[in-house]
């Protein structure tokens, strides 16, 4: 399998497909997800099975079509990440044929296949292209029935077989598609011709018909692909991470951002109910695969931060997903005998626990703090209190605070609160007391609940929120000057994945550089090399924070082992096993660059920065950073930083005047729309111009 260098890092090209079909590229748009050529796809929020059997329902895909010709030719397969187009091209001396697939970026209920045949030489011979389909209008999860054809399109509909919870809803799926003919022929008098095939998916007959009508109208006007391309162009306009340095790093960054953006709605679809992001994305997650399409902490901790830094409106859809699961979270807490909210370790639609193994749902309770971390991150980036008032975010924050207060145990001997019987992020251990990660996210979420109550001025924060936050035990070995993973952890014990390393970033637990280094040196050598892909990115962030760019770069490059094949599809483990299209690992890698090399930290009153460069990244450009309603471009080059504030975008959200404040000198540089400012590469803060500042 040979990859080709197109000269454009946004286009991934190969002359042969990967032998393992799991590493074919997924195409998604936040609602529909499909791995090219596969005979099944998935729809966001459509699950089948009760409780631990709940999984993404398989929906048959009519575009499971492979193109071929009798005449031998050169095959090329390309994924253009600028436009989300996957194309198979076949060239011979007499003809060039292309088959292109895309999940429409602007109209999310549409999947499209286009076939284009172009003569290369003058000839009176017809040219026939075979379209071999593996589609079957059946599913093990949905009992489909045939409906009358609609405007030349085939129509089937059905309902999932089993609800997620007793008495719960069973979603309906309607599928209308252009029948795929066995072959298409370019007639002798034609120099070229194009054929289009639509798939429209909706929850009702009316919705599916409406989307099919839209597709037909766009196709007739020649605006089907252009409208899709424009939507992708808009996304890329405000979210790019580009480097001058090693090509593998550049391609990895582009691939990560492309697949993560694909998992979220379009910018104009943020009002629709979003089904969350699972570790393998929408293209995966059927029964027995890729965590069954459930939503974990992966969404809130690993994927969310980079998206939020570019598009808070997309980040808000994640928070709204959690709000919609409030009642399920309340029932989970009550079932465990506690107050407030207990978000499920594995979530689908209802918010009830759907993890197939009880111990994770019972003990991996750090998920509550992970959810609040995302809400806090959003508020500090936007100062958008509407998410917490009208958007019910305050119910989430306060419900989790009530849970922590009811979950802790007071020890009069050390005058501290403790959280007992948990599983930390390092899942090699269970039923431990005082997981340092769990206790830290609990402390953070309690402090944010107190802060939010003061801001909203609706009801005073119960005093026990602050009391528990102040007295919650955070394990620390004063002799060895490091953080044990939990009470009783023996230094040198093997760990599965990033755990203690997360205390510095993203949790922001105050500690000295010595302690930070000691934590890294304690856990890096004993972290399982076969563990999940996101781990090494967090070690890289930490070493970059300490100024050791060589070590940070080396650890970041370990992630390359998880990138499989020419289309930059990640696997959970470096040997190719585990979840595929592993968005969690991509999110960790992207954060390592976005928050590692820039030093960005989202603080209560500022976006701090402390950029570093390395041999692999000699220059770093970040386009579209969002902060307090503004968009900015950052360029780190040599010993300088350049920042450009975008002109006003014309949205209705509130914006604030900004300034850069350099830490060492205290220099304050006001930012003006459309202007670029350049200053020495040193640590500083981006903050509101009218906010108080202390050097």
């Amino acid at each position: 399998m040979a990859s080709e260098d197109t000269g454009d890092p946004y286009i991934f090209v190969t002359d042969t497909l990967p032998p393992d079909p799991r590493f074919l590229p997924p195409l998604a748009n936040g609602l529909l997800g499909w791995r090219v050529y596969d005979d099944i796809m998935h729809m966001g929020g459509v699950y089948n099975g009760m409780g631990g059997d709940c999984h993404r329902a398989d929906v048959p895909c009519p575009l499971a079509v492979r193109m071929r010709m009798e005449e031998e030719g050169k095959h090329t397969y390309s994924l253009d990440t600028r436009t989300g187009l996957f194309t198979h091209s076949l060239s011979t001396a007499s003809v060039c044929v292309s088959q292109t697939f895309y999940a429409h970026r602007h109209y999310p209920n549409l999947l499209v296949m286009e076939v284009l045949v172009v003569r290369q030489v003058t000839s009176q011979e017809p040219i026939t292209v075979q379209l071999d389909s593996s589609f079957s209008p059946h599913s093990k999860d949905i009992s489909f029935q045939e409906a009358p054809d609609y405007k030349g399109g085939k129509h089937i509909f059905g309902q999932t077989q089993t609800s997620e919870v007793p008495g719960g809803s069973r979603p309906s799926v309607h599928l209308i598609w252009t029948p795929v003919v066995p072959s298409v022929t370019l007639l002798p008098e034609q120099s070229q011709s194009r054929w289009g095939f639509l798939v429209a998916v909706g929850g009702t007959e009316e919705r599916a018909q409406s989307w099919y009508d839209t597709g037909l109208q766009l196709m007739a006007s020649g605006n089907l692909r252009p409208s899709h391309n424009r939507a992708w162009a808009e996304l890329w306009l405000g979210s790019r991470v580009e480097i001058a340095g090693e090509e593998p790093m550049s391609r990895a960054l582009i691939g990560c951002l492309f697949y993560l953006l694909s998992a979220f709605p379009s910018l104009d679809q943020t009002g629709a109910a979003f089904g969350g992001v699972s570790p393998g994305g929408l293209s995966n997650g059927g029964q027995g695969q890729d965590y069954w399409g459930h939503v974990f902490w992966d969404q809130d901790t690993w994927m969310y931060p980079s998206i939020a830094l570019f598009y808070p409106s997309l980040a808000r859809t994640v928070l709204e997903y959690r709000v919609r699961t409030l009642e399920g979270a309340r029932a989970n807490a009550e079932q465990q005998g506690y107050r407030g909210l207990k978000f499920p370790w594995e979530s689908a639609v209802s918010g009830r626990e759907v993890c197939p193994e009880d111990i994770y749902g019972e003990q991996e309770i750090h998920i509550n703090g992970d959810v609040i971390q995302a809400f806090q991150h959003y508020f500090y980036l936007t100062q958008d209190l509407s998410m917490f008032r009208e958007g019910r975010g305050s119910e989430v924050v306060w419900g989790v605070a009530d849970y922590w207060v009811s979950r802790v145990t007071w020890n009069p001997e050390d005058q501290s609160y403790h959280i007992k019987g948990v599983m930390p992020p390092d899942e090699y251990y269970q039923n431990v007391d005082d997981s340092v990660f769990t206790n830290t996210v609990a402390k953070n979420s309690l402090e944010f609940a107190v802060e939010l109550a003061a801001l909203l001025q609706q009801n005073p924060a119960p005093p026990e929120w602050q009391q528990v936050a102040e007295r919650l035990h955070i394990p620390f070995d004063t002799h060895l000057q490091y953080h044990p993973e939990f009470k009783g952890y023996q230094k040198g014990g093997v760990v599965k994945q990033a755990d203690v390393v997360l205390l510095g970033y993203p949790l922001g637990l105050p500690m000295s550089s010595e302690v930070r280094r000691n934590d890294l040196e304690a856990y890096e050598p004993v972290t399982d090399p076969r563990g999940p892909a996101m781990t090494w990115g967090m070690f890289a962030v930490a070493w970059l924070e300490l100024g050791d760019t060589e070590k940070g770069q080396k650890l970041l490059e370990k992630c390359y082992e998880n990138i499989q094949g020419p289309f930059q599809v990640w696997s959970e483990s470096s040997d190719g096993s585990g979840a595929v299209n592993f968005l969690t690992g991509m999110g960790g890698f992207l954060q390592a660059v976005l928050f590692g090399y820039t030093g960005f930290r989202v603080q209560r009153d500022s976006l701090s920065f402390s950029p570093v460069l390395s041999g692999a990244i000699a220059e770093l450009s970040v386009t579209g950073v969002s902060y307090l309603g503004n968009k900015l471009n950052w360029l780190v080059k040599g010993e300088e930083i350049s920042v450009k504030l975008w002109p006003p975008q014309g949205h209705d959200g509130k914006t604030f005047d900004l300034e850069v404040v350099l830490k060492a000198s205290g220099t304050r540089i006001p930012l003006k729309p459309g202007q670029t400012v350049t200053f020495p590469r040193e640590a500083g803060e981006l903050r509101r111009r009218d906010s108080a500042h202390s050097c």
Side-chain angles (χ1 to χ4, degrees):
M1 180 171 56
S3 297
E4 298 181 10
D5 184 6
T6 63
D8 185 343
Y10 283 82
I11 301 178
F12 308 150
V13 181
T14 181
D15 57 7
T16 55
L17 294 173
D20 187 337
R22 297 183 308 143
F23 302 126
L24 288 168
L27 302 178
N29 58 19
L31 179 68
L32 301 179
W34 174 60
R35 188 168 60 234
V36 298
Y37 300 130
D38 203 352
D39 58 1
I40 62 102
M41 59 181 175
H42 299 113
M43 186 175 186
V46 178
Y47 291 85
N48 183 47
M50 185 174 294
D53 292 326
C54 172
H55 57 274
R56 288 201 191 280
D58 286 353
V59 178
C61 183
L63 301 187
V65 177
R66 291 183 183 254
M67 173 187 78
R68 65 180 174 86
M69 291 183 63
E70 298 299 328
E71 186 180 0
E72 291 294 323
K74 174 180 172 54
H75 293 265
T76 304
Y77 305 88
S78 68
L79 175 66
D80 185 344
T81 62
R82 292 185 191 277
T83 56
L85 302 176
F86 175 81
T87 301
H88 171 203
S89 298
L90 175 56
S91 297
T92 71
S94 60
V95 67
C96 182
V97 184
S98 63
Q99 175 192 30
T100 299
F101 298 107
Y102 50 101
H104 206 287
R105 185 72 263 196
H106 185 74
Y107 300 101
N109 295 66
L110 296 178
L111 285 180
V112 183
M113 179 180 78
E114 297 172 351
V115 178
L116 175 65
V117 182
V118 180
R119 288 187 191 275
Q120 299 292 85
V121 296
T122 303
S123 170
Q124 295 302 309
E125 295 296 320
I127 298 174
T128 297
V129 179
Q130 304 295 326
L131 301 177
D132 297 333
S133 172
S134 58
F135 166 68
S136 172
H138 305 288
S139 166
K140 58 183 175 58
D141 297 311
I142 302 171
S143 301
F144 278 108
Q145 305 175 50
E146 288 189 13
D149 289 358
Y150 180 75
K151 296 185 178 179
K154 295 293 184 182
H155 180 191
I156 59 173
F157 68 97
Q159 197 173 22
T160 56
Q161 296 174 359
T162 309
S163 61
E164 180 185 332
V165 295
S169 63
R170 294 186 295 122
S172 294
V173 175
H174 286 255
L175 209 64
I176 302 176
W177 72 95
T178 312
V180 177
V181 292
S183 64
V184 293
T185 300
L186 185 67
L187 299 176
E189 63 272 16
Q190 295 177 309
S191 60
Q192 68 175 51
S193 189
R194 184 187 300 270
W195 294 262
F197 301 88
L198 289 172
V199 178
V201 189
T204 65
E205 179 178 19
E206 293 75 16
R207 292 282 291 165
Q209 289 178 348
S210 174
W211 284 111
Y212 194 70
D213 287 343
T214 298
L216 290 176
Q217 292 163 8
L218 290 166
M219 191 178 288
S221 66
N223 199 29
L224 185 61
R225 190 191 292 194
S227 59
H228 165 81
N229 290 349
R230 285 193 298 271
W232 263 115
E234 183 183 13
L235 270 175
W236 281 119
L237 181 67
S239 57
R240 293 201 306 277
V241 187
E242 297 174 322
I243 65 167
E246 297 180 353
E247 184 184 354
M249 174 74 73
S250 181
R251 285 182 173 272
L253 285 169
I254 291 167
C256 288
L257 192 49
F258 168 73
Y259 288 124
L260 279 170
L261 287 171
S262 297
F264 282 81
S266 298
L267 294 174
D268 59 348
Q269 296 288 332
T270 54
F274 178 52
V277 189
S278 56
L282 272 168
S283 58
N284 300 304
Q287 189 169 27
Q289 61 157 226
D290 302 303
Y291 297 107
W292 296 22
H294 297 163
V295 177
F296 292 71
W297 75 312
D298 305 48
Q299 168 189 256
D300 312 82
T301 299
W302 298 99
M303 307 170 199
Y304 172 93
S306 298
I307 296 297
L309 190 64
F310 290 119
Y311 289 120
S313 62
L314 296 184
R316 182 168 171 154
T317 65
V318 167
L319 310 186
E320 291 167 343
Y321 165 77
R322 291 298 187 184
V323 168
R324 285 193 296 275
T325 64
L326 264 168
E327 294 312 313
R330 200 180 314 279
N332 296 335
E334 184 177 342
Q335 185 177 5
Q336 290 189 353
Y338 302 109
R339 292 190 288 116
L341 305 175
K342 162 60 176 70
F343 283 96
W345 177 240
E346 300 189 26
S347 180
V349 174
S350 72
R352 296 303 301 266
E353 184 62 65
V354 292
C355 181
E357 299 179 63
D358 291 342
I359 191 168
Y360 296 96
E362 293 168 356
Q363 294 194 10
E364 207 147 359
I365 61 173
H366 65 80
I367 179 65
N368 262 12
D370 306 326
V371 168
I372 301 307
Q373 181 91 0
F375 277 81
Q376 182 179 12
H377 188 99
Y378 173 82
F379 178 65
Y380 287 173
L381 277 173
T382 65
Q383 296 294 307
D384 174 18
L385 281 173
S386 72
M387 178 66 233
F388 298 89
R389 288 190 180 115
E390 298 82 0
R392 301 179 66 194
S394 60
E395 294 180 48
V396 173
V397 176
W398 296 338
V400 167
D402 286 339
Y403 175 84
W404 289 127
V405 168
S406 69
R407 184 64 172 77
V408 297
T409 301
W410 173 253
N411 184 343
E413 293 182 6
D414 64 3
Q415 293 289 293
S416 297
Y417 289 100
H418 301 265
I419 301 178
K420 299 183 175 182
V422 305
M423 181 182 290
D426 173 13
E427 295 169 329
Y428 285 171
Y429 302 92
Q430 60 190 48
N431 204 34
V432 303
D433 297 342
D434 289 327
S435 151
V436 68
F437 179 90
T438 303
N439 288 20
T440 301
V441 291
K443 176 183 176 71
N444 287 355
S445 53
L446 284 162
E447 291 174 342
F448 182 58
V450 173
E451 178 188 345
L452 185 65
L455 287 168
L456 292 179
Q457 298 180 341
Q458 293 174 345
N459 298 296
E464 56 265 30
W465 290 357
Q466 187 66 43
Q467 291 166 6
V468 173
E470 290 176 352
R471 295 292 188 97
L472 188 57
H473 178 63
I474 305 297
F476 183 70
D477 188 318
T478 56
H479 175 64
L480 296 175
Q481 288 290 296
Y482 92 114
H483 292 94
E485 192 174 275
F486 50 83
K487 180 182 178 181
Y489 173 79
Q490 297 298 310
K491 191 175 182 182
V494 175
V495 302
K496 177 185 177 183
Q497 63 187 59
D499 189 309
V500 175
V501 67
L502 302 174
L503 298 181
Y505 173 85
L507 299 192
L509 181 69
M511 68 183 79
S512 67
S513 295
E514 177 193 5
V515 171
R516 185 78 157 127
R517 183 179 297 273
N518 290 344
D519 283 349
L520 296 177
E521 291 177 344
Y523 293 103
E524 185 184 319
V526 298
T527 298
D528 191 337
R530 298 165 298 177
M534 67 279 194
T535 291
W536 301 116
M538 293 301 100
F539 278 102
V541 169
W543 284 115
L544 292 169
E545 183 182 280
L546 292 172
D548 193 333
T549 57
E550 183 177 347
K551 186 166 281 189
Q553 183 63 37
K554 183 178 179 182
L555 286 165
L556 194 56
E557 288 173 358
K558 285 174 70 75
C559 299
Y560 294 165
E561 299 171 10
N562 296 77
I563 302 175
Q564 308 294 336
F567 302 115
Q568 302 288 310
V569 176
W570 283 54
S571 60
E572 183 175 11
S573 299
S574 57
D575 62 2
S577 62
V580 294
N581 189 36
F582 191 51
L583 297 175
T584 312
M586 298 186 207
F589 184 85
L590 198 54
Q591 285 188 64
V593 175
L594 267 180
F595 295 88
Y597 280 91
T598 63
F600 284 150
R601 296 293 183 272
V602 180
Q603 314 278 8
R604 178 182 298 173
D605 298 315
S606 68
L607 177 64
S608 63
F609 56 88
S610 183
V612 296
L613 295 173
S614 69
I617 298 183
E619 180 181 314
L620 174 62
S621 171
V622 184
T623 300
V625 171
S626 290
Y627 186 61
L628 300 185
N630 296 279
K631 294 282 275 183
L632 306 99
N633 298 344
W634 291 73
L635 175 64
V636 184
K637 182 177 181 180
E639 296 302 316
E640 292 183 331
I641 303 172
S642 296
V643 178
K644 180 178 181 179
L645 179 64
W646 287 24
Q649 299 301 294
H651 55 69
D652 297 329
K654 188 175 182 181
T655 61
F656 298 87
D657 293 336
L658 300 178
E659 66 180 359
V660 169
V661 182
L662 301 183
K663 185 176 181 181
S665 63
T667 302
R668 303 172 74 150
I669 307 169
L671 300 181
K672 298 179 181 179
Q675 294 185 7
T676 300
V677 299
T678 301
F679 48 89
R681 177 162 62 89
E682 61 178 84
E685 295 178 324
L686 178 68
R687 55 193 305 131
R688 286 175 59 177
R689 199 182 303 174
D690 58 350
S691 63
H693 174 67
S694 59
C695 296

